[in-house]
């Protein structure tokens, strides 16, 4: 199973031209540097690492995907960049173990724009036993 967005789907979601994603991938554009890229990732509710992976055509499972602190995260908002750093395992603010998948069905979290797991309907934030 893959979470992967195609470049085209990503472009459609982000409301940018599919060619821009391709250009980003090939490093041909100077306008889509780090800052707009993080803005784009923010708009999509995904991490910059995830966005990079999609742009480069890598499989997303290779990298750390989305993580959030079950205590501090406010559903519907973007995760703090500190949480999505691949090496982060615990919340920097409260020390809670970060969650990267649904506590109900254990599917990886596709987007933190969602409050509920699209696969099983469980609230991402609620009901964790940890
Ligand atoms: Zn926390
Ligand atoms: Zn689920």
């Amino acid at each position: 199973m893959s979470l992967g967005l195609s470049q085209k789907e990503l472009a459609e979601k982000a409301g940018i031209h599919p060619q821009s994603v391709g250009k980003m991938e090939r490093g041909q554009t100077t306008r889509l540097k780090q800052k707009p890229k993080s803005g784009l990732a923010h708009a999509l509710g995904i991490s910059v690492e995830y966005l990079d992976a999609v742009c480069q055509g890598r499989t997303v499972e290779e990298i750390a995907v989305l993580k959030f602190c079950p205590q501090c995260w406010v559903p519907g908002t973007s995760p703090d960049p500190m949480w999505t750093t691949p090496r982060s395992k615990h919340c920097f603010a409260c020390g809670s173990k970060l969650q990267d998948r649904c506590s109900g069905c254990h599917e990886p979290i596709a987007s933190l724009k969602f409050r509920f797991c699209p696969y099983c309907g469980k609230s991402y934030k609620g009901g964790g036993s940890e």
Side-chain angles (χ1 to χ4, degrees):
M1 191 219 79
S2 172
L3 281 176
L5 293 166
S6 71
Q7 288 179 15
K8 203 170 146 209
E9 286 164 347
L10 184 130
E12 278 167 11
K13 271 195 172 194
I16 61 174
H17 199 277
Q19 279 185 356
S20 299
V21 176
K23 279 183 186 168
M24 223 151 61
E25 173 194 3
R26 294 189 295 273
Q28 285 176 359
T29 177
T30 51
R31 283 191 297 170
L32 285 166
K33 281 263 163 82
Q34 200 56 37
K35 198 163 175 234
K37 203 197 265 179
S38 60
L40 177 59
H42 184 90
L44 293 166
I46 62 178
S47 69
V48 176
E49 288 86 357
Y50 187 121
L51 181 61
D52 274 341
V54 174
C55 290
Q56 291 161 15
R58 275 189 284 146
T59 57
V60 172
E61 283 83 356
E62 281 177 13
I63 60 161
V65 199
L66 289 168
K67 290 180 291 217
F68 66 93
C69 171
Q71 302 296 325
C72 304
W73 175 58
V74 178
T77 64
S78 292
D80 191 287
M82 282 302 291
W83 297 335
T84 57
T85 303
R87 291 173 63 191
S88 292
K89 292 200 167 50
H90 296 91
C91 175
F92 60 94
C94 72
S96 294
K97 196 170 171 229
L98 297 176
Q99 234 174 289
D100 66 355
R101 52 192 61 226
C102 173
S103 60
C105 65
H106 301 286
E107 286 293 332
I109 291 162
S111 166
L112 289 181
K113 291 205 153 182
F114 304 148
R115 288 160 187 256
F116 299 97
C117 175
Y119 308 111
C120 74
K122 192 172 164 73
S123 166
Y124 280 147
K125 187 165 177 173
S129 56
E130 295 181 277

